[in-house]
Amino acid sequence: MRLRRSIMRKPRAAVGSRSRCRKQACSQEGREKRALSSSQAKLSAPDGLARQQEEVRLQAAVSPYHLFRDTAEVTVFRKSLLSWYDREKRDLPWRRRVEGEVDPDRRAYAVWVSEVMLQQTQVATVIDYYTRWMQKWPTLQDLASASLEEVNQLWAGLGYYSRGRRLQEGARKVVEELGGHMPRTAETLQRLLPGVGRYTARAIASIAFGQATGVVDGNVVRVLCRVRAIGADPSSTLVSQQLWSLAQQLVEPARPGDFNQAAMELGATVCTPQRPLCSQCPVQSLCRARQRVEREQLSASRSLPGSCDVEECAPNTGQCQLCAPPTEPWDQTLGVANFPRKVSRRPPREECSATCVLEQPRALGGARILLVQRPNSGLLAGLWEFPSVTAEPSGQHQRKALLRALQSWVGPLPATRLRHLGQVVHTFSHIKLTYQVYGLALEEQTPVTIVPPGARWLTREEFHTAAVSTAMKKVFRVYEGQQPGTCKGSKRSQVSTLSRRKKPIAGQQVLDSFFRPHIPC
């Protein structure tokens, strides 16, 4: 399920201040044009013609029922949505910052940070991270001068860690190559800034710079699919193009940032995935999904089979490309939640890892634990973790491989003290990773003070503020308990330990002892 996307509001002062910054905008435009000319050539005439032909072909496969066919509907939609938004919008820190910011580059930066953080992350989680980020790096120049270690440290726990790295890369590009000024249009934002895609570019351009360009995120997809009864797969090329076209048609030119935020706010708070609050919807009168529900209820009350109006969902020829396929009939129990069609997702691939919390309880200055840094690319790039190895099915092989890895960092170790404590299951976006958790305390060894580059000894307090992933914090909780406990909270993770197993009844063979050291992964 896509997580909720939040909303920012373009300050009205931004439009009025544009004339005062005209000279600055002209020089900025020149820089963008020079950068664009060196990064991408213009489309040739044949390419443009092919694109137009493809759009005509796609439109021919769409019934007018799924479109806004007259300007009156569009006007009502805009007015109703914006009036509702002005009354009901949530008070969020990025909105307050954008509303009070007159500098266009700072305004765009504030929007950019919030948009990146909100990707695949809930609003409630982002609020604290956003506040701390903007306090630490209030400008592009501040972020550009920060170290990746600092960025990872503040981002730790927010997930999807490449977002923070790309945000800093983008800030450095703006400062070093664009004179410290953000690109002013959605096109140049998307082409010039790393990690900025179609949605983010249009969100920044509309909210910060007042460009009349529509946006489509998960919330907007849901709103548009219900308002126009689009039941086909929203991830397909045809449906995606149609949704972007609808968003562009609907956006209010006088208040594009507010309109886009209102559409996302509606999907996040009213037109929700389950149990939508239709009675509170400002555009209910224009909602095809709601009309379908009422029609089905009327048919059911009259004991008549539900049927669709031919004019509503049939194009000139063949099956309408925006309707649900015949193989997916209407579900009376879902109501408007029949839209949009749920996209089947690939299950995450499963991987296993063995990881060890290596501690020096009697180190000078207090107990310390060993952390090593991950590679600068790939999963959790640049973050710190406990020494880990890819796990083998056999527990004996796990132990040997893990010991070799530990000794490569700190030298000879007492193998007999390596204890298996339990496991942590953590799901990333595309990987379900099972960590077999081990612990080893160097009680009598001479404290190790020198480690190779890419490793460090930290106190427990330092560990909790270091750039480590949520998974590693769960691993450490298993170790801290010594008699391992259970990780509570997230549904996406699970901790299991040996102590959770029931004691055998009298006379029963203890299978764990019988089969040890085999540890299934």
Side-chain angles (χ1 to χ4, degrees), residues 11 20 68 71 91 153 161-162 182 184 193 196 251 261 263 283 300 327 334 355 359 387 411 426 429 443 459:
R20 297 192 298 271
F68 284 88
T71 57
D91 179 28
Q153 186 172 346
Y161 295 91
S162 63
M182 289 282 289
R184 294 300 197 257
L193 301 185
V196 173
V251 67
Q261 294 177 84
V283 293
T327 54
L334 293 178
T355 187
E359 183 174 26
H426 189 83
S429 58
E443 294 283 358
T459 65

Side-chain angles (χ1 to χ4, degrees), residues 122-137:
Q122 294 183 11
V123 170
T125 302
V126 169
I127 289 175
D128 178 61
Y129 281 90
Y130 181 84
T131 301
R132 289 189 288 115
W133 181 286
M134 297 305 291
Q135 288 173 347
K136 190 175 183 66
W137 302 303

Side-chain angles (χ1 to χ4, degrees), residues 198-239:
R198 187 179 188 182
Y199 165 79
T200 304
R202 292 187 175 212
I204 297 172
S206 63
I207 297 168
F209 301 128
Q211 182 181 351
T213 182
V215 300
V216 174
D217 77 334
N219 289 314
V220 176
V221 166
R222 187 164 55 255
V223 169
L224 293 180
C225 283
R226 289 175 180 172
V227 168
R228 295 292 93 173
I230 297 174
D233 182 356
S235 66
S236 68
T237 299
L238 185 146
V239 177

Side-chain angles (χ1 to χ4, degrees), residues 87-149:
R87 296 190 311 270
E88 304 293 339
K89 62 180 179 292
R90 291 172 291 179
D91 179 28
L92 299 171
W94 41 91
R95 289 183 182 162
R96 294 195 299 270
R97 182 174 287 269
V98 169
E99 287 173 356
E101 183 56 71
V102 296
D103 181 271
D105 294 305
R106 287 195 175 202
R107 190 166 60 242
Y109 170 62
V111 176
W112 188 11
V113 172
S114 65
E115 284 298 334
V116 172
M117 286 189 172
L118 287 162
Q119 293 169 8
Q120 305 296 320
T121 309
Q122 294 183 11
V123 170
T125 302
V126 169
I127 289 175
D128 178 61
Y129 281 90
Y130 181 84
T131 301
R132 289 189 288 115
W133 181 286
M134 297 305 291
Q135 288 173 347
K136 190 175 183 66
W137 302 303
T139 68
L140 285 159
Q141 289 74 15
D142 294 324
L143 178 58
S145 63
S147 68
L148 180 59
E149 176 75 11

Side-chain angles (χ1 to χ4, degrees), residues 243-301:
L243 292 172
W244 278 101
S245 177
L246 284 171
Q248 186 61 40
Q249 179 188 8
L250 291 172
V251 67
E252 169 57 68
R255 297 176 61 189
D258 286 345
F259 179 88
N260 287 334
Q261 294 177 84
M264 293 185 285
E265 184 91 329
L266 184 65
T269 62
V270 174
C271 196
T272 51
Q274 285 89 33
R275 296 183 292 277
L277 307 174
C278 293
S279 62
Q280 300 178 25
C281 179
V283 293
Q284 182 184 144
S285 63
L286 299 172
C287 182
R288 301 273 195 233
R290 184 63 186 172
Q291 293 166 9
R292 174 73 184 271
V293 169
E294 293 170 351
R295 191 168 59 249
E296 293 288 340
Q297 291 174 344
L298 181 61
S299 297
S301 66

